[in-house]
Amino acid sequence: MLAIAFLFGVAMSEADSPIAIEIRGGKDYASFTNRLHPGNRIGYRFHEHAPMIWGEIPEIRANAGVEPKKIAKSEKAFARKRGVKSFSIDIAGSEWVKQRWTYYLAPVSDGAELLWVVETFDTGLNRYYGVQQCFRMGGVTNQQWRRAIAETPAFSEYDLWNLVEKDKAVKTSLTHIMRNGRWMPLPAMPETVGARTPLGLAMDKERTGGHLDAMKEVGPYRAIMLEPIDNGLIARTDAGDTWVCGLYWEGTSHVTDHHPADCVHAIVNIGGIPPHAKRAIRGKIYWFKGSPGDLAAHWRRDFHERMRTPSATRITSQP
């Protein structure tokens, strides 16, 4: 069961950002457009499928690292951002612990800054509570109902494979992740593939007792797990490498792609929350004219405190 309450708040004019955000009324989707990249509309789905759950539920806020004053300060700061839109989703059902998600989406020059506040009620969330977030880039050859949310021919692998490369045995990947300090493409294949971040690697080792071979597939779409990656930033470029978009959430444990929806996913750990408590998670959608190397520079600027391994501090484009 999913109840959505919209709390739209436009604090100031969005004129300084090329990004426009539309929250789909009565649904759990958003669409993004960029006036500098006309003819493209990226989609986003906030709530889908079932969570991945592991570990104990913390009972004491201090032990869980939950800081109410800091979270309240973050919410107030986001609520004042120029052009911000916010809404809340009440989550319940047989597969979900009752909880409330409040999202803040603020358009900026290179995309949209995100804040996701998770609030628990009588029951807290397990130490690992992995939730999938869906970043959609369907093209003109995708199904009509999907195109209403996302029609992004510039970034669509679906269009590239069905039109330009229709007769080619080997397809081109437009999806990229960071591995060992370098941008690497995810394989261009119809099957769902993905990879573990350092957090995901640690959690899956714990969940399998150290036997990762017993967990070759992860997530709602049973993504085939490839070699681990440096962090949770997942990117899509156009075929000419002149435009780039990407998704990043703090606490990402796995990233995956999926066809035919033509989307990429971040599986985000929102867990480790005691009953009657909140956790705030920062994220960002990127969309601007530039290269994967430029995206890495923007990400370093925005989330520099999250780069804790040597490989994540030296990000370069693949030659």
Side-chain angles (χ1 to χ4, degrees):
M1 180 176 67
L2 183 64
I4 301 180
F6 291 96
L7 309 171
F8 291 112
V10 179
M12 298 177 67
S13 169
E14 296 183 52
D16 291 344
S17 171
I19 304 298
I21 304 169
E22 179 186 358
I23 308 298
R24 299 287 174 150
K27 298 181 180 179
D28 53 341
Y29 293 94
S31 292
F32 299 80
T33 55
N34 186 331
R35 71 169 182 268
L36 303 180
H37 202 188
N40 295 285
R41 181 175 63 256
I42 292 177
Y44 196 96
R45 191 177 185 187
F46 300 96
H47 175 270
E48 61 179 15
H49 305 299
M52 296 161 51
I53 300 173
W54 176 259
E56 70 283 355
I57 298 174
E59 297 297 330
I60 302 174
R61 291 181 182 179
N63 294 345
V66 174
E67 303 177 62
K69 291 183 179 179
K70 187 175 181 180
I71 293 169
K73 184 178 179 180
S74 295
E75 284 199 83
K76 288 181 180 179
F78 251 85
R80 292 194 298 265
K81 287 181 179 290
R82 179 169 298 182
V84 68
K85 292 185 177 180
S86 64
F87 65 98
S88 293
I89 307 175
D90 288 328
I91 307 294
S94 60
E95 296 178 300
W96 294 85
V97 171
K98 184 179 179 181
Q99 56 197 282
R100 176 171 295 146
W101 298 348
T102 299
Y103 286 92
Y104 297 85
L105 301 86
V108 291
S109 61
D110 61 349
E113 295 180 344
L114 310 173
L115 185 70
W116 181 4
V117 180
V118 181
E119 180 181 5
T120 58
F121 297 100
D122 291 340
T123 304
L125 300 186
N126 303 69
R127 185 159 54 88
Y128 179 67
Y129 202 94
V131 173
Q132 181 164 289
Q133 298 288 281
C134 181
F135 192 46
R136 299 188 167 211
M137 289 150 289
V140 297
T141 60
N142 217 315
Q143 295 175 330
Q144 187 62 43
W145 73 269
R146 297 185 186 278
R147 293 169 61 187
I149 302 297
E151 186 172 292
T152 320
F155 297 122
S156 174
E157 289 180 340
Y158 204 62
D159 281 1
L160 180 65
W161 298 355
N162 286 336
L163 298 175
V164 180
E165 299 182 345
K166 182 178 180 180
D167 298 322
K168 290 186 177 181
V170 179
K171 309 298 185 184
T172 301
S173 175
L174 302 178
T175 306
H176 307 271
I177 44 78
M178 297 177 185
R179 182 179 290 125
N180 298 323
R182 301 173 69 85
W183 282 109
M184 302 291 291
L186 284 181
M189 54 195 293
E191 294 81 10
T192 302
V193 296
R196 299 175 172 97
T197 68
L199 171 62
L201 187 63
M203 291 308 307
D204 288 352
K205 283 183 177 179
E206 185 176 323
R207 293 198 293 159
T208 62
H211 301 289
L212 288 179
D213 286 345
M215 191 182 288
K216 295 181 179 180
E217 300 174 342
V218 170
Y221 296 119
R222 301 183 63 84
I224 301 167
M225 288 290 102
L226 307 177
E227 290 298 309
I229 55 177
D230 296 347
N231 53 65
L233 179 61
I234 186 165
R236 184 70 68 85
T237 62
D238 65 352
D241 281 334
T242 57
W243 280 85
V244 66
C245 66
L247 174 66
Y248 177 77
W249 280 106
E250 295 176 337
T252 296
S253 59
H254 307 77
V255 298
T256 70
D257 66 4
H258 179 59
H259 297 281
D262 210 353
C263 49
V264 299
H265 309 108
I267 298 177
V268 184
N269 181 23
I270 65 172
I273 310 178
H276 299 286
K278 289 183 178 182
R279 184 178 300 285
I281 305 164
R282 289 177 58 220
K284 188 165 181 178
I285 288 171
Y286 294 93
W287 186 1
F288 60 91
K289 189 173 185 178
S291 67
D294 296 327
L295 174 59
H298 285 230
W299 178 79
R300 284 198 300 267
R301 176 200 65 197
D302 295 332
F303 296 96
H304 57 88
E305 74 278 9
R306 298 302 172 191
M307 298 187 299
R308 304 192 185 280
T309 61
S311 62
T313 62
R314 299 190 304 273
I315 301 165
T316 61
S317 293
Q318 185 185 24

